[in-house]
Amino acid sequence: MYEKILQILRQNNGFRDWNAIEKTFNQRGSKLKIVGRINRKPIYEFFNTYSDNLVLNSNAITISVQPVKSFIPFHIHDYMEMNIPLVGDCVVETEHEKVRVQQDDLLFIGIKTPHRVEPIKKDGVVLNIQLRSSAFSLNELNFLRAKESNMNISNLLFSLLSDEEHGEGRYSLFNTDHDQKIVNLIYDIIDEYYHPQVQTEQIIKLEMLTLFSLLIRKTYYLDVKVTDSKNTKSNLLSLLLYIEENYNDITLEKMATHFGFNPNYLSDYLKSETGLSFIKLVQLQRINIAAEYLTYTKASVERIANKVGYENASYFYKIFKQYFAVSPSKYRLNTR
């Protein structure tokens, strides 16, 4: 199957002349907008997605193949993009560094992140998957948040990449170590996309969610390297996992001591990386756990409030209603 898919992609990844492309867009009356510069090189606004033949494609999930031996200028998207070398490798240049992506690895590029792909070799095949914010509903993303503790956090990390405010300037490199399940799934997605049938869009959505889950599982169990453009000495995943595991009696001071940080630094770091304060992150975890107790147990609301870390039931009622817009009792009734 691999060879048949690669043959299709090679039919569409021929050389593209950037000057001719720019001229074509200008003639169509849709002049490409320059939004900034990196080392005096223009950054273009690429907010539309196109099929391999440069036909406008408004689908929530779009797949195309990188043209070989072709100059691509710096640009930004209003959607998340995944770059996946299927044959050979590629180098993606960002505002601050060059990132080499090896065969079968995945580079997630966040919204409005300036980048360009250096010309790839003639025999190389690099896949591009564009994911708009409308690609997945909240219910579909909830699939990633199942029961394992790391699922909630991994979902948050993926949303950071695709969120317009917190995804900006971010990119993450996943080293898959040529995992056969992951590679096979990528080829299945490509095959479904280029051979559409009934339910193709739904199948691709489910396969993308499965791909995310496989990446989460691989990084969790096998400690596969994930390079994040905004990594600091602290590991965001470890910090958020700590909140998930200690939500019922956690304090900022206790957490800061555990990781050897100044409490103010830790608070600022969590806010800058997630967009949420320490208190909000803890509240979010407590309320979500409380919602599960309300749905799947017959425990009293007061007991659940105490279980998730709220000694004052009235305060729990207030916080719960802020998040779900209904009281805990009403939530329990609705979910049943």
Side-chain angles (χ1 to χ4, degrees), residues 109-166:
I109 302 174
I111 286 175
K112 295 183 180 178
T113 299
H115 67 284
R116 61 180 292 269
V117 180
E118 292 188 350
I120 61 175
K121 297 177 181 178
K122 183 178 180 180
D123 58 348
V125 177
V126 178
L127 189 74
N128 300 322
I129 301 179
Q130 294 88 26
L131 301 172
R132 294 195 173 277
S133 58
S134 58
F136 307 108
S137 69
L138 291 177
N139 285 335
E140 288 165 336
L141 285 176
N142 195 51
F143 167 77
L144 295 178
R145 301 177 56 202
K147 301 298 180 185
E148 293 83 355
S149 63
N150 70 308
M151 294 302 186
N152 275 340
I153 296 311
S154 299
N155 186 31
L156 176 57
L157 294 178
F158 277 113
S159 29
L160 286 176
L161 289 170
S162 57
D163 181 80
E164 184 168 354
E165 180 179 355
H166 303 297

Side-chain angles (χ1 to χ4, degrees), residues 162-177:
S162 57
D163 181 80
E164 184 168 354
E165 180 179 355
H166 303 297
E168 185 170 346
R170 296 196 70 123
Y171 46 93
S172 287
L173 177 63
F174 283 78
N175 177 1
T176 66
D177 195 30

